[in-house]
Amino acid sequence: MIPFISADNTWALWAVMVAVAWFSIWLEQKYSWANKLTGCVIALIIMMALANMNVIPTDAPAYDNVWGYVVPLAVPLLLFNCNITKIFKETGKLMVVYLFSAVGTVIGSLIGAFTLGSKIPQLQAISAMFTGTYTGGSVNLAAMAQAYNATGEIVSSAVVADNLLMAIYFFVLIAMPGITFFRKNYNHPLIDGLEREGANNKNYVAEYWKPKPIALRDIAFDFAAAAVIVAVSRAIAAYLGKVIPTGNVGLNILNTMLGNQYLIITTLTMTLATAFPNVFGQVPGANELGTFLIYIFFAVIGAPASITLIARNSPILFVYATIVVMSNMIVTLVFGKIFKFSLEDMIVASNANVGGPTTSAAMAISKGWTSLVGPALLVGTFGYVLGNYLGLLVANIVGV
């Protein structure tokens, strides 16, 4: 049956994709129920519904353009603030806690892969996606999905499982400061200080999320720099993929990693952001533009998604994701206890791994832990870099 909008009607499909991304963001920021569901999932559900009702096609060249151009552009835009020198200088203990949490993610990914491997479709892709997203965030999931050519149904199933688990886990993290066990066994200086002062954090939230000024030249620079970084990175990755030999496990892993455009994009952007912080770190709009492009990606992965396949695949992927996140939490709490990290540091670090810089900063703000807002954003942004490396590493180990 021919869909209402044909696969070759590129402009109409782009109009639908961009409109769905905008509408999802609008709903997320206006209504609390949409905020809990997240705009990414809303975009996916809307496109999935349109495709299953035969309004739009399940496959089209416009969708390929998103995978080929939109996602690669989004990655450097989200990394312009990834100044490694600044991150390690200003994050202090939070970076150490974050890295322990990332180790927990890797351990969980490997445990899940080797215990559920026979039941997980496209295991290499899923292990890379979950490792990436539970180290940095959705941008890593998108990058790993393309790196391993995950099908639309698998990506949609993974996103549904991921967002359901994140909703549950964020509730757990928010509740932890009020649970007696954690109060008794971990130090919590920020919580104690707020309770002594009787602080109200509503003004922190309003101040932090106020609109930011942005000029035409800023938008021009953001897109120009991102495009150049992607073009150069693709050329470097293609060259390394040709010159690095294969033949044994070590060389195969090296060839796969260094020949991957996302690893090169990540490394090059991080290097430029660190070498020229006044150029990349000061230009506004990059994070907003990159995030909008990621929303378009989430809209697109809903189009080829079969509701039947998602219902079949999501439960086992939810179990896999749960293993990864539980491992992250356990490792964080164990090492946090050994090294006497504060409860606030552990909660924010784990959130930065599982949800990314935006959710970890938002949680710090909502709790009134203003001294952790900046570090949360920095370690979460570093997760965009680390997530791609660890995702590729875990997938290669799983694929051996």
Side-chain angles (χ1 to χ4, degrees):
M1 189 174 181
I2 300 174
F4 179 72
I5 300 177
S6 64
D8 60 357
N9 194 343
T10 301
W11 272 109
L13 290 175
W14 269 103
V16 171
M17 291 186 292
V18 174
V20 167
W22 162 78
F23 184 60
S24 302
I25 292 171
W26 180 78
L27 286 176
E28 182 182 43
Q29 295 190 2
K30 186 172 180 63
Y31 299 104
S32 59
W33 63 266
N35 182 265
K36 291 182 177 66
L37 186 59
T38 76
C40 295
V41 172
I42 293 171
L44 188 154
I45 291 172
I46 292 173
M47 288 289 282
M48 183 172 62
L50 292 175
N52 281 269
M53 291 188 297
N54 214 38
V55 175
I56 59 175
T58 57
D59 187 31
Y63 304 159
D64 297 333
N65 289 337
V66 172
W67 285 91
Y69 299 97
V70 172
V71 176
L73 276 175
V75 175
L77 285 169
L78 291 167
L79 291 177
F80 280 2
N81 284 314
C82 194
N83 179 345
I84 295 299
T85 303
K86 180 180 179 182
I87 287 173
F88 281 97
K89 182 188 295 184
E90 297 185 8
T91 54
K93 287 188 298 182
L94 190 63
M95 175 58 79
V96 180
V97 186
Y98 171 84
L99 293 174
F100 279 129
S101 294
V103 171
T105 292
V106 171
I107 292 171
S109 295
L110 293 173
I111 291 173
F114 291 120
T115 55
L116 303 173
S118 60
K119 301 179 179 64
I120 302 290
Q122 294 186 269
L123 177 60
Q124 235 185 337
I126 289 295
S127 64
M129 288 158 60
F130 279 164
T131 303
T133 195
Y134 293 140
T135 305
S138 298
V139 64
N140 300 99
L141 186 147
M144 294 299 97
Q146 190 187 18
Y148 287 95
N149 298 314
T151 62
E153 288 87 355
I154 290 300
V155 178
S156 298
S157 301
V159 170
V160 170
D162 169 41
N163 280 274
L164 175 59
L165 179 62
M166 280 203 299
I168 296 170
Y169 190 57
F170 290 162
F171 175 79
V172 172
L173 290 177
I174 290 170
M176 280 174 65
I179 297 175
T180 303
F181 172 81
F182 296 108
R183 290 276 197 135
K184 185 177 180 180
N185 289 281
Y186 296 92
N187 63 80
H188 34 79
L190 297 180
I191 296 171
D192 292 340
L194 288 171
E195 289 178 348
R196 283 194 300 269
E197 298 168 9
N200 186 321
N201 64 353
K202 289 185 179 178
N203 290 334
Y204 296 139
V205 178
E207 176 65 21
Y208 187 77
W209 292 116
K210 65 182 180 181
K212 307 177 187 71
I214 181 171
L216 175 61
R217 65 185 180 188
D218 299 326
I219 298 173
F221 175 83
D222 289 337
F223 276 119
V228 170
I229 288 169
V230 172
V232 172
S233 297
R234 284 175 58 85
I236 293 173
Y239 174 76
L240 293 176
K242 289 179 181 178
V243 300
I244 297 175
T246 57
N248 59 56
V249 173
L251 286 174
N252 289 344
I253 291 176
L254 190 64
N255 181 281
T256 301
M257 292 185 69
L258 295 182
N260 183 277
Q261 65 167 330
Y262 287 103
L263 186 138
I264 304 300
I265 290 171
T266 299
T267 304
L268 181 57
T269 310
M270 177 184 67
T271 302
L272 291 171
T274 304
F276 307 102
N278 293 331
V279 176
F280 290 89
Q282 300 300 320
V283 62
N287 191 58
E288 288 80 2
L289 291 168
T291 301
F292 180 62
L293 295 181
I294 288 296
Y295 273 75
I296 294 175
F297 160 76
F298 276 105
V300 166
I301 63 175
S306 162
I307 294 175
T308 303
L309 285 173
I310 289 176
R312 187 173 68 198
N313 291 327
S314 287
I316 189 64
L317 296 183
F318 180 81
V319 174
Y320 187 178
T322 301
I323 292 172
V324 179
V325 172
M326 287 302 296
S327 174
N328 176 288
M329 185 180 193
I330 291 169
V331 169
T332 303
L333 291 173
V334 169
F335 280 98
K337 182 66 175 177
I338 292 172
F339 292 99
K340 295 181 170 56
F341 295 129
S342 71
L343 182 61
E344 298 93 338
D345 281 341
M346 288 184 286
I347 290 173
V348 171
S350 185
N351 193 322
N353 271 268
V354 176
T358 306
T359 61
S360 58
M363 179 174 287
I365 295 165
S366 69
K367 291 292 187 181
W369 305 337
T370 53
S371 61
L372 290 180
V373 174
L377 283 169
L378 291 172
V379 298
T381 303
F382 178 67
Y384 288 156
V385 176
L386 188 63
N388 286 341
Y389 279 90
L390 295 183
L392 289 167
L393 177 63
V394 168
N396 276 280
I397 293 173
V398 169
V400 171

